Amino acid sequence: ENIGSFQEVSGPHERAMTEFVVPRSVIDGTGEKKRLPQAADQYFSRAHHNPKSYDRIENWLPDVEQFTFKTVMVPISGAQAHAILKFRDEVKLRAAVRDQERREASTKGADDGKSKGSYKVQEESKSVADEYAEKSINSNIFLDQTYEFLMQDWARDPEVKSWRQSLEDLQNDLDKAIKIVAKEPGGSRQG
């Protein structure tokens, strides 16, 4: 039975080599018609997310602990995870609004001939506003200002006050973990 074939392989600056190619169906026994599992399918399998799965960091970390930096596990509650997602959504929304305002300002300036400052439109290239619009969500200044605003705003709104509290609790837990790592020998190894 013929299970593979020889093929000549060579690149532009290499001598020709011969490879033996074996079809995947011969190796894994799947046959030609069976669909192989995709990585995403495997990741979302329940087997990878049970408490005893070796795919979870708390199960494999002890095996490599001597080769890594000090690690402290900080569990995240469902409420904290929900608050993180809500915070992310609100930051993205505010960034999109800010970007749209910048684009509108640059267009208005180009239409009436009165563009000025950072919104001035450059000929035959993107406007400065378009360049900023692509980067708003990555601006450290924008993120810091938005964080400060949201933490104050969320404190006043009874509907989302619990989100703020969840984020503060998580921040405190992370601060404690950092202090634990910094105190212990090897916690801040120099390499």
Side-chain angles (χ1 to χ4, degrees):
E1 180 177 325
N2 185 3
I3 62 167
S5 62
F6 288 98
Q7 296 178 353
E8 245 182 60
V9 179
S10 64
H13 305 289
E14 301 173 356
R15 286 188 274 167
M17 295 178 14
T18 302
E19 278 188 349
F20 184 70
V21 180
V22 178
R24 178 180 282 286
S25 61
V26 171
I27 296 169
D28 62 18
T30 60
E32 296 296 326
K33 295 182 181 177
K34 185 175 180 185
R35 178 183 172 268
L36 294 174
Q38 301 297 309
D41 296 338
Q42 293 177 4
Y43 174 77
F44 289 111
S45 167
R46 185 176 300 273
H48 297 286
H49 299 283
N50 72 52
K52 294 182 181 180
S53 171
Y54 197 71
D55 293 327
R56 295 174 59 113
I57 187 170
E58 63 267 22
N59 295 330
W60 59 258
L61 184 62
D63 295 342
V64 296
E65 200 166 30
Q66 66 184 356
F67 306 107
T68 65
F69 289 103
K70 175 69 179 155
T71 304
V72 175
M73 301 298 291
V74 178
I76 296 177
S77 70
Q80 291 168 333
H82 182 74
I84 290 169
L85 292 175
K86 291 298 183 183
F87 180 81
R88 180 203 62 180
D89 290 346
E90 193 149 345
V91 169
K92 286 171 63 176
L93 175 65
R94 291 181 181 280
V97 168
R98 178 178 183 241
D99 296 345
Q100 182 63 31
E101 288 172 347
R102 286 179 165 204
R103 280 191 293 278
E104 288 172 2
S106 70
T107 303
K108 181 179 179 188
D111 291 343
D112 64 11
K114 297 179 184 175
S115 64
K116 60 186 177 191
S118 64
Y119 298 127
K120 184 176 180 183
V121 177
Q122 303 166 355
E123 291 186 25
E124 296 188 13
S125 71
K126 286 181 166 183
S127 71
V128 173
D130 284 339
E131 290 177 19
Y132 280 120
E134 294 172 6
K135 299 175 185 172
S136 291
I137 195 70
N138 297 320
S139 165
N140 290 333
I141 294 169
F142 169 77
L143 293 174
D144 287 345
Q145 291 171 345
T146 303
Y147 174 81
E148 292 299 324
F149 171 78
L150 289 178
M151 292 308 273
Q152 290 174 8
D153 185 57
W154 285 6
R156 292 188 298 259
D157 187 344
E159 186 177 338
V160 296
K161 200 172 192 173
S162 65
W163 299 347
R164 180 179 191 259
Q165 186 60 51
S166 293
L167 290 178
E168 287 178 342
D169 292 345
L170 178 59
Q171 184 176 3
N172 291 335
D173 292 345
L174 291 170
D175 287 342
K176 288 177 191 173
I178 290 168
K179 288 176 184 172
I180 290 170
V181 169
K183 283 183 187 176
E184 294 191 20
S188 58
R189 293 181 196 158
Q190 302 289 324

